Amino acid sequence: MSGPYVIRGSVVLPEVELVWRFSRSSGPGGQHVNTSDSQVELRFDLGKTPALPPVWKERALERLASRLVDGVLSVRASEHRSQWRNRETAAVRLAALLAEATAPPPKPRRKSRIPRGINERRLREKKQRGDTKRGRSGRDWG
């Protein structure tokens, strides 16, 4: 593999906790696809990993609950013909998924009032547009 996959900051995916499974892919490859195990399934036990800080782990378990099976997160890749490229794709996808799931929640939106001038200008332009359309009717033509 091409090195440690960074989740965020100094936290990386630990290689020893990744479980790889290979099988025959249904993707492109012609006759070659029938003989090689190029599909990759990468599993990561999110519930038992000590690699993530507790706050991140809790956040990820909550956000990825629908994707987890007994606390294990699974990612598949079969887009490429080579197993090596599928391994890279799966690992990058897993790191991106964990980065998104462990991100802090966004700041709450503060309501703001629309300035009076902007609202008046909008209403004035609506009125002008209505007058233009009303002028297009053929009622007053001789």
Side-chain angles (χ1 to χ4, degrees):
M1 296 214 339
S2 69
Y5 293 96
V6 178
I7 295 174
R8 197 170 56 253
S10 61
V11 179
V12 294
L13 270 175
E15 298 270 344
V16 293
E17 293 185 33
L18 300 179
V19 178
W20 299 92
R21 231 178 85 193
F22 308 101
S23 58
R24 296 215 172 117
S25 176
S26 62
Q31 294 176 345
H32 171 75
V33 79
N34 299 327
T35 59
S36 65
D37 292 342
S38 60
Q39 178 173 295
V40 174
E41 183 180 357
L42 176 58
R43 298 168 148 259
F44 179 66
D45 195 344
L46 188 59
K48 296 179 183 173
T49 184
L52 295 176
V55 176
W56 287 19
K57 189 192 297 188
E58 187 179 312
R59 205 179 288 155
L61 285 170
E62 182 182 318
R63 290 182 182 170
L64 297 173
S66 62
R67 290 194 62 151
L68 298 176
V69 178
D70 296 330
V72 177
L73 181 62
S74 179
V75 174
R76 276 193 181 157
S78 63
E79 295 86 44
H80 306 289
R81 285 180 64 171
S82 94
Q83 186 187 98
W84 183 260
R85 287 178 66 191
N86 282 332
R87 286 177 69 134
E88 291 288 313
T89 303
V92 168
R93 199 177 293 161
L94 180 67
L97 197 62
L98 286 172
E100 187 179 328
T102 58
K107 291 180 181 176
R109 183 183 178 278
R110 283 179 32 207
K111 287 186 178 180
S112 60
R113 287 185 50 202
I114 298 173
R116 180 187 287 167
I118 291 176
N119 208 24
E120 287 175 356
R121 185 179 70 200
R122 181 182 64 86
L123 293 173
R124 192 170 52 247
E125 287 172 357
K126 276 173 67 86
K127 188 78 169 165
Q128 188 176 3
R129 182 80 175 143
D131 292 343
T132 303
K133 288 189 172 192
R134 200 175 308 112
R136 290 180 187 157
S137 69
R139 279 186 286 169
D140 297 338
W141 294 3

